Amino acid sequence: MPYILNQYNTFEQRLRMVILYTFINESKHQDLLDRYLSSFPEDFQQGILKYRRWQDAQLSLLGRVLLQLGLKSYYHVDDAQILRSDDHKPYLKDQDLHFNISHSKELVACVIAEFPIGIDVEFIDHTLHYQDFQFQMTKSEFDKIEGSEDQIGDFFSYWTRKESVMKAHGGGMMIPLDSFEILNNECKIDSKKFFTKDFFINENYQSCIASCSENIKNVVPFFISPEI
């Protein structure tokens, strides 16, 4: 079942994982650039300014803004430096913290945890033809979606779980989606076990987190939608 924020769970109980999210807004775009862009490294600034669509620029910028806010507000980290591993997975230099960012349509989300983590959010597009992606599924996965009463919903559940695992693994597109199968929220890639957990942000989006750490089974994320 997707996780929904329980108001009776305290932040202290959930400090090991924070999920921050927000939605893009065209009317705020220039203000966001003016307020936040200069606080990031020059190469990141140039990358943002190269986007042709304001939506792409704002999604990318807000992902980093959410990370910055989350690190400072909930982990007391002010000046984290982002590096990339040999397989291009971003990580925080000299920090025992892990993060991952995902965005889709108008939603951007960032997860910060005390163990390796991946996140994927996807806009549930009801016009999508899931059959076009059959080659990226195992036979049993496709059969399950075909036989479902909510084929689109099950497809995006499948997709976000797979994508979050790939991001937690760090192998990216080098891992074929049909090369592993998630059963009971668990799977193996190269003999390494991964665990997934669905969560809820908005009825128009499917969301999932994944990790190679079993801590993900028990941790209850602390959800924040900051005013930006």
Side-chain angles (χ1 to χ4, degrees), residues 8 49 60 104 133 159 200:
Y8 299 107
L49 295 175
S60 183
S104 179
F133 298 86
W159 192 265
F200 179 83

Side-chain angles (χ1 to χ4, degrees), residues 16-78:
R16 293 166 66 191
M17 182 186 295
V18 176
I19 296 177
L20 302 97
Y21 66 94
T22 191
F23 294 86
I24 60 173
N25 185 326
E26 185 175 10
S27 66
K28 293 183 177 181
H29 188 61
Q30 189 58 51
D31 179 60
L32 290 171
L33 292 175
D34 294 341
R35 285 194 292 136
Y36 292 110
L37 192 58
S38 62
S39 65
F40 296 106
E42 183 66 26
D43 59 340
F44 180 77
Q45 294 183 41
Q46 292 303 315
I48 293 296
L49 295 175
K50 285 181 180 179
Y51 283 112
R52 294 187 177 184
R53 298 174 68 247
W54 73 267
Q55 295 95 329
D56 298 325
Q58 194 173 131
L59 286 167
S60 183
L61 175 62
L62 286 178
R64 290 289 288 271
V65 170
L66 290 176
L67 175 62
Q68 188 181 68
L69 290 174
L71 288 172
K72 184 174 183 179
S73 299
Y74 302 99
Y75 295 96
H76 311 295
V77 175
D78 288 323

Side-chain angles (χ1 to χ4, degrees), residues 126-144:
H126 291 279
T127 68
L128 179 139
H129 299 286
Y130 68 88
Q131 296 91 341
D132 294 342
F133 298 86
Q134 182 177 358
F135 72 99
Q136 293 180 303
M137 308 178 200
T138 66
K139 184 179 184 303
S140 61
E141 287 169 340
F142 183 76
D143 289 345
K144 180 180 178 182

Side-chain angles (χ1 to χ4, degrees), residues 21-198:
Y21 66 94
T22 191
F23 294 86
I24 60 173
N25 185 326
E26 185 175 10
S27 66
K28 293 183 177 181
H29 188 61
Q30 189 58 51
D31 179 60
L32 290 171
L33 292 175
D34 294 341
R35 285 194 292 136
Y36 292 110
L37 192 58
S38 62
S39 65
F40 296 106
E42 183 66 26
D43 59 340
F44 180 77
Q45 294 183 41
Q46 292 303 315
I48 293 296
L49 295 175
K50 285 181 180 179
Y51 283 112
R52 294 187 177 184
R53 298 174 68 247
W54 73 267
Q55 295 95 329
D56 298 325
Q58 194 173 131
L59 286 167
S60 183
L61 175 62
L62 286 178
R64 290 289 288 271
V65 170
L66 290 176
L67 175 62
Q68 188 181 68
L69 290 174
L71 288 172
K72 184 174 183 179
S73 299
Y74 302 99
Y75 295 96
H76 311 295
V77 175
D78 288 323
D79 298 308
Q81 183 179 356
I82 298 176
L83 301 178
R84 288 188 177 271
S85 62
D86 292 339
D87 54 14
H88 305 293
K89 184 177 182 180
Y91 69 94
L92 299 173
K93 181 181 179 181
D94 300 327
Q95 297 289 337
D96 292 325
L97 292 171
H98 303 263
F99 79 94
N100 202 226
I101 296 169
S102 181
H103 53 74
S104 179
K105 193 72 173 181
E106 297 178 344
L107 171 66
V108 56
C110 173
V111 60
I112 306 171
E114 297 174 359
F115 48 84
I117 196 72
I119 187 172
D120 190 56
V121 297
E122 297 288 345
F123 174 72
I124 302 172
D125 182 0
H126 291 279
T127 68
L128 179 139
H129 299 286
Y130 68 88
Q131 296 91 341
D132 294 342
F133 298 86
Q134 182 177 358
F135 72 99
Q136 293 180 303
M137 308 178 200
T138 66
K139 184 179 184 303
S140 61
E141 287 169 340
F142 183 76
D143 289 345
K144 180 180 178 182
I145 293 171
E146 277 277 89
S148 171
E149 294 182 1
D150 181 12
Q151 294 170 330
I152 293 298
D154 272 12
F155 170 79
F156 280 102
S157 178
Y158 147 82
W159 192 265
T160 54
R161 289 174 185 173
K162 287 291 187 83
E163 287 287 333
S164 63
V165 166
M166 290 169 62
K167 295 178 74 176
H169 179 279
M173 298 304 294
M174 299 300 292
I175 306 171
L177 285 175
D178 63 348
S179 66
F180 65 98
E181 188 169 326
I182 299 170
L183 297 172
N184 299 319
N185 293 313
E186 297 183 6
C187 68
K188 278 189 178 181
I189 300 177
D190 300 329
S191 300
K192 191 172 186 179
K193 205 166 189 179
F194 289 85
F195 309 90
T196 66
K197 179 184 286 186
D198 295 338

